[in-house]
């Protein structure tokens, strides 16, 4: 379902269409940084839970203003990283593949996400392999891009392909700052195909330096029109963004990426999640896409 269509300002600027999305989010009521499982987390640095909630609320409200649906999962007091719901699963066609977190500090989140999916009517799959949900799995058209190197293991790439019956393209992350795939790649077009109201080929933006040579070669071949983002913009989590096909919600500090998006006909919208970046997460980390219908809602894309 498309909700808004842009108009082209020149012969070379593509027309972009905003599509209705459904997201799962979790209020950071218990957000703090008391341990370190990625390079961004420094327990000695003070955090402000109230500020984290206020920043998160702006993102939540923006999604509603854009016409999207937002579901909520109850935050658990002992799991401050639960706000990063993108790690809570990977959902396609009403089937939810649940995470199996690498670090013990987050492992208690998995049962809560599994329960939420079951109660919402999703076909819920419990994994055997270590994976961190949509943090490392991104759907681009009919293909799943799968990240490894820091969190999800290579065996999970085989497993996710079997669960969803789709081609999986493995990409190796090499820079510890970008420990999940969704920190180094942004999916710009969540809907592919003119028959669906999307572009003929879904496109991405990515940070070349986050990947090894073989993975960069794969990305160059598969996405020749991709936006290549600078390290300056990547290092402020500019790629950890959410797009409906027209509106792209990004960090306000990713000024170069903002310009690149406008040149391609997208509408970048800036939301500051600087407090949540202290935990190593940004806009996409806080946003799990619920693709297709659940039996409860009966709504599609």
């Amino acid at each position: 379902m498309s909700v808004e269509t842009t108009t082209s300002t020149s012969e070379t600027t593509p027309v972009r269409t905003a599509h209705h999305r459904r997201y799962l989010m979790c209020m950071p009521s218990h957000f703090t940084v008391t341990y370190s499982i990625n390079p961004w987390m420094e327990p000695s640095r003070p955090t402000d839970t109230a500020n984290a909630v206020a920043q998160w609320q702006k993102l939540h409200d923006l999604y509603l203003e854009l016409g999207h649906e937002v579901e909520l999962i109850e935050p658990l007091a002992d799991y401050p990283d639960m706000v990063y719901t993108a790690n809570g699963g990977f959902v396609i066609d009403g089937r939810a593949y649940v995470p199996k977190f690498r670090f013990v500090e987050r492992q208690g989140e998995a049962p809560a996400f599994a329960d939420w999916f079951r109660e919402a009517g999703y076909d819920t799959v419990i994994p055997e392999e270590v994976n961190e949900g949509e943090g490392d799995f991104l759907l681009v058209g009919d293909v799943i891009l799968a990240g490894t190197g820091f969190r999800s293991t290579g065996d999970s790439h085989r497993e996710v392909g079997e669960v969803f019956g789709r081609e999986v393209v493995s990409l190796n992350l090499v820079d510890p700052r970008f420990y999940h795939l969704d920190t180094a790649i942004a999916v710009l077009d969540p809907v592919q195909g003119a028959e669906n109201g999307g572009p003929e080929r879904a496109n991405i933006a990515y940070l070349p330096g986050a990947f090894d040579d073989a993975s960069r070669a794969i990305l160059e071949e598969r996405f020749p029109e991709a936006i290549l983002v600078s390290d300056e913009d990547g290092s402020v989590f500019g790629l950890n963004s959410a797009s409906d096909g027209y509106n792209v919600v990004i960090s306000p500090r990713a000024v170069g990426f903002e310009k690149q998006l406008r040149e391609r006909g997208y509408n970048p919208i800036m939301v500051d999640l600087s407090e949540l970046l202290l935990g190593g997460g940004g806009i996409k980390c806080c946003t799990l896409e619920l693709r297709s219908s659940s039996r409860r809602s009966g709504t599609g894309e």
Side-chain angles (χ1 to χ4, degrees):
M1 173 184 169
S2 61
V3 295
E4 179 181 356
T5 303
T6 71
T7 56
S8 178
T9 56
S10 74
E11 293 182 0
T12 59
T13 303
V15 174
R16 305 293 180 187
T17 301
H19 296 269
H20 178 266
R21 315 312 298 159
R22 294 184 67 236
Y23 298 132
L24 178 63
M25 300 183 71
C26 181
M27 182 177 287
S29 305
H30 309 291
F31 177 75
T32 186
V33 177
T34 59
Y35 51 80
S36 180
I37 58 174
N38 66 60
W40 304 90
M41 302 178 79
E42 297 181 13
S44 61
R45 183 183 301 175
T47 54
D48 185 335
T49 303
N51 189 36
V53 170
Q55 291 182 348
W56 175 92
Q57 191 68 51
K58 290 181 179 179
L59 178 63
H60 170 277
D61 293 350
L62 173 62
Y63 287 147
L64 297 181
E65 291 168 12
L66 293 174
H68 305 315
E69 294 178 67
V70 177
E71 302 278 0
L72 297 175
I73 184 171
E74 190 71 21
L76 301 178
D78 294 332
Y79 296 96
D81 287 347
M82 198 168 170
V83 60
Y84 307 125
T85 53
N87 308 137
F90 187 49
V91 183
I92 306 174
D93 295 335
R95 170 171 276 198
Y97 177 59
V98 177
K100 184 176 180 180
F101 288 97
R102 175 183 174 187
F103 290 106
V104 66
E105 288 88 349
R106 298 199 65 181
Q107 288 171 3
E109 297 175 36
F113 280 106
D115 289 344
W116 189 93
F117 288 125
R118 290 192 193 99
E119 292 172 8
Y122 288 87
D123 175 14
T124 303
V125 180
I126 304 301
E128 295 182 3
E129 306 297 341
V130 173
N131 82 89
E132 301 204 347
E134 206 167 47
D136 273 333
F137 301 133
L138 299 174
L139 183 65
V140 187
D142 294 325
V143 176
I144 297 170
L145 301 184
T148 190
F150 297 100
R151 296 294 184 89
S152 301
T153 66
D155 286 344
S156 67
H157 297 186
R158 171 195 53 77
E159 187 174 62
V160 76
E162 293 173 352
V163 167
F164 294 107
R166 300 196 181 218
E167 179 187 6
V168 176
V169 176
S170 292
L171 302 168
N172 193 43
L173 296 160
V174 295
D175 186 329
R177 295 175 300 165
F178 309 105
Y179 58 94
H180 274 147
L181 193 65
D182 69 355
T183 66
I185 292 180
V187 180
L188 300 179
D189 303 307
V191 174
Q192 176 175 280
E195 68 278 10
N196 301 314
E200 182 178 348
R201 293 186 61 187
N203 204 7
I204 66 170
Y206 68 95
L207 174 64
F211 300 94
D212 64 14
D213 292 343
S215 299
R216 282 199 300 272
I218 292 170
L219 291 170
E220 289 169 5
E221 179 182 0
R222 285 182 172 259
F223 304 100
E225 301 300 320
I227 295 177
L228 304 185
V229 174
S230 69
D231 187 270
E232 183 179 9
D233 286 341
S235 64
V236 293
F237 268 38
L239 283 162
N240 195 246
S241 61
S243 175
D244 62 19
Y246 170 52
N247 303 293
V248 186
V249 188
I250 67 171
S251 165
R253 292 181 286 174
V255 293
F257 186 35
E258 176 191 0
K259 181 180 179 182
Q260 289 174 304
L261 288 168
R262 292 193 187 281
E263 290 171 348
R264 298 291 190 97
Y266 297 99
N267 180 44
I269 302 174
M270 278 60 72
V271 173
D272 181 19
L273 291 190
S274 55
E275 194 68 33
L276 291 167
L277 183 57
L278 297 176
I283 291 159
K284 179 66 187 75
C285 289
C286 297
T287 310
L288 175 61
E289 179 122 17
L290 301 174
R291 298 179 187 85
S292 197
S293 62
S294 70
R295 290 194 294 272
R296 180 182 66 178
S297 67
T299 57
E301 294 282 18

